């Protein structure tokens, strides 16, 4: 079973949000949890496919946080993806936002300092990528940019 931890809380390097994104017996995992490090208890949140308009479910994605919001970027679900989804923990809700402006990819690497985030490397089919992008998830895509 393939498993990727995709959202992390940067406070004291404690992992707080966990999604078992991946494939098990041909089915994509959809569960999403929050971990309280003070009580060491996991609490189930809305599944990643709970709403009909969600398309968050994927494998081989990357995740990070910026300004208290969680992000899942790229990955694979029937094809390589470049979409970006934003998670608001106050609402327990996902929103499809401006996607990665580069190649669609899976198996990428992402990192964030809590204010800025970067997605780099990965592959698109048999093409291995060596590029990197800074994400500005709150800005709209400008095709002349």
């Amino acid at each position: 079973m393939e498993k990727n931890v995709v959202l992390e809380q940067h406070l004291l390097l404690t992992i707080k949000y966990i999604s078992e994104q991946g494939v098990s017996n041909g089915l994509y995992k959809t569960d999403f949890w929050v971990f309280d490090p003070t009580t060491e208890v996991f609490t189930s949140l809305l599944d990643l496919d709970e709403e009909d308009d969600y398309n968050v479910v994927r494998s081989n994605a990357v995740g990070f946080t910026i300004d208290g919001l969680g992000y899942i970027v790229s990955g694979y679900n029937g094809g390589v993806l470049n979409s970006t989804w934003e998670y608001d923990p106050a609402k327990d809700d996902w929103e499809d936002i401006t996607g990665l402006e580069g190649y669609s990819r899976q198996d990428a690497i992402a990192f964030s300092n809590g204010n800025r985030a970067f997605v780099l490397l990965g592959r698109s089919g048999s093409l291995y990528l060596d590029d990197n992008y800074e994400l500005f998830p709150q800005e709209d895509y400008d095709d002349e940019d």
Side-chain angles (χ1 to χ4, degrees):
M1 178 175 76
E2 188 176 312
K3 190 190 270 189
N4 295 328
V5 175
V6 295
L7 295 178
E8 59 185 65
Q9 179 72 25
H10 292 278
L11 180 63
L12 301 177
L13 301 176
T14 301
I15 295 174
K16 189 167 182 178
Y17 295 97
I18 297 178
S19 170
E20 289 191 276
Q21 293 205 344
V23 181
S24 177
N25 294 324
L27 300 173
Y28 282 88
K29 305 292 286 177
T30 62
D31 52 331
F32 190 56
W33 301 80
V34 64
F35 177 72
D36 184 340
T38 58
T39 62
E40 297 184 1
V41 173
F42 285 93
T43 304
S44 178
L45 299 172
L46 285 178
D47 285 350
L48 296 178
D49 66 349
E50 188 74 24
E51 301 291 329
D52 291 337
D53 58 345
Y54 283 6
N55 192 15
V56 181
V57 178
R58 61 199 61 212
S59 65
N60 304 75
V62 294
F64 52 86
T65 61
I66 295 178
D67 297 329
L69 300 172
Y71 296 90
I72 292 179
V73 181
S74 68
Y76 184 89
N77 186 342
V80 182
L81 304 169
N82 73 340
S83 59
T84 301
W85 284 83
E86 177 182 83
Y87 178 71
D88 184 342
K91 299 177 191 174
D92 188 16
D93 188 47
W94 291 92
E95 181 182 352
D96 186 12
I97 61 170
T98 299
L100 182 66
E101 293 182 22
Y103 284 104
S104 299
R105 67 193 63 217
Q106 64 184 28
D107 303 325
I109 298 170
F111 61 92
S112 169
N113 66 2
N115 299 311
R116 297 175 70 185
F118 298 86
V119 173
L120 54 152
L121 306 175
R123 66 184 176 94
S124 184
S126 62
L127 175 64
Y128 285 83
L129 305 167
D130 62 358
D131 54 357
N132 62 74
Y133 292 90
E134 181 173 3
L135 273 73
F136 301 95
Q138 298 302 318
E139 295 180 12
D140 290 327
Y141 176 74
D142 181 358
D143 59 358
E144 295 183 18
D145 188 11

